[in-house]
Amino acid sequence: MMGSTHALTGWCAGLALAPAIGAGSVHQALAFAATTAGFALLPDLDHPHARASKLLGPITGLVCWLLRHTSAALYKVTKGPRDERGRGSHRHLSHTLLFAIGLGAATTYGTRAGGWYVVAGVVLFALLLAADALGDWLLLVPGGGVVWWALTASAAAELSQLTGWLGIAVAAGCFVHCLGDALTESGCPFLFPVPIAGETWYELRPPSFLRFRTGKGVEKFLVVPVFTVLAVLLVPGAWPGLVGLFADPAVAAGG
């Protein structure tokens, strides 16, 4: 999947999950969804040419190097008799459910230990990841959002409500990334280390007629438009507002 598609699907997943974890305000729901959108790009840190790997220069570059070498070492000692002969550095460790759960658990512990400052740091990093994938123009959105938040809410109090819960957003973002990659031709080994058909890193993928190629017609002209619409409709209050607008002729006519 393209980075922008990962971010869009992550945003939609975050908005859908936000009510379930008790994100009771629009501010909290958007912060939660922004985190899911950003971390839906993080698994690609295992590729040196990915935008996420270049985001913070040598910092994310070092994380990329460590992740690639850790993944390759793990692949070497765990691969099954029918696993591929590749190095296992890309689309392996960071593209597993185990990684998503582990990173989510670490985020939960970190936010509980550090409070709203750590929550703010995680959300900001996620926003940078999402903005980098969707385009620099998106920086206007979080920038405007920060101003809006400061004028309409207590940011510290709102972020404190997400302490502990943000790990779910991080894990969900990574999981959505894996799920998206599983729909492409390459598949995704996100059930590691469960052995399947002699492979420890079995690439799950649907039947061939349901798969699509990254960046081609199905993704560009079907997946992206659908999730772009959902990205708006899932914002708290957006759907009832649109229904009310079109249901009331006087409002629709501007009267």
Side-chain angles (χ1 to χ4, degrees):
M1 265 189 174
M2 299 183 297
S4 56
T5 311
H6 281 307
L8 275 174
T9 53
W11 170 264
C12 293
L15 288 176
L17 283 172
I21 61 95
S25 70
V26 176
H27 303 89
Q28 293 171 16
L30 295 184
F32 187 88
T35 303
T36 308
F39 279 85
L41 295 154
L42 188 125
D44 278 343
L45 266 172
D46 67 355
H47 195 295
H49 299 300
R51 295 179 68 97
S53 301
K54 300 177 180 180
L55 180 63
L56 299 178
I59 298 175
T60 46
L62 176 61
V63 175
C64 171
W65 184 88
L66 289 171
L67 185 56
R68 286 174 59 80
H69 281 74
T70 302
S71 180
L74 183 62
Y75 182 73
K76 185 176 181 179
V77 299
T78 61
K79 65 179 180 179
R82 298 188 62 185
D83 276 312
E84 300 171 354
R85 293 186 176 181
R87 294 187 58 206
S89 56
H90 176 52
R91 273 199 179 186
H92 282 77
L93 176 58
S94 63
H95 288 66
T96 64
L97 184 60
L98 187 65
F99 178 86
I101 294 173
L103 190 59
T107 303
T108 296
Y109 176 80
T111 54
R112 284 177 176 169
W116 78 269
Y117 291 103
V118 177
V119 173
V122 173
V123 174
L124 178 60
F125 178 62
L127 279 171
L128 290 174
L129 282 168
D132 189 54
L134 293 170
D136 293 337
W137 62 270
L138 190 65
L139 289 174
L140 295 174
V141 177
V146 169
V147 174
W148 169 63
W149 193 325
L151 292 175
T152 60
S154 171
E158 293 276 1
L159 287 173
S160 294
Q161 296 299 314
L162 293 177
T163 299
W165 291 110
L166 212 61
I168 295 177
V170 169
C174 293
F175 176 77
V176 168
H177 180 107
C178 294
L179 188 60
D181 279 353
L183 296 175
T184 65
E185 293 290 340
S186 299
C188 186
F190 68 88
L191 287 184
F192 168 84
V194 178
I196 302 175
E199 296 182 36
T200 310
W201 300 83
Y202 185 84
E203 289 92 353
L204 291 177
R205 55 175 69 87
S208 57
F209 68 91
L210 291 176
R211 303 174 202 163
F212 59 86
R213 294 175 64 89
T214 300
K216 299 302 181 181
V218 172
E219 182 173 4
K220 286 184 175 180
F221 302 115
L222 178 61
V223 178
V224 170
V226 167
F227 279 96
T228 299
V229 172
L230 286 175
V232 176
L233 294 181
L234 287 172
V235 172
W239 176 248
L242 287 173
V243 171
L245 177 66
F246 291 104
D248 188 339
V251 174

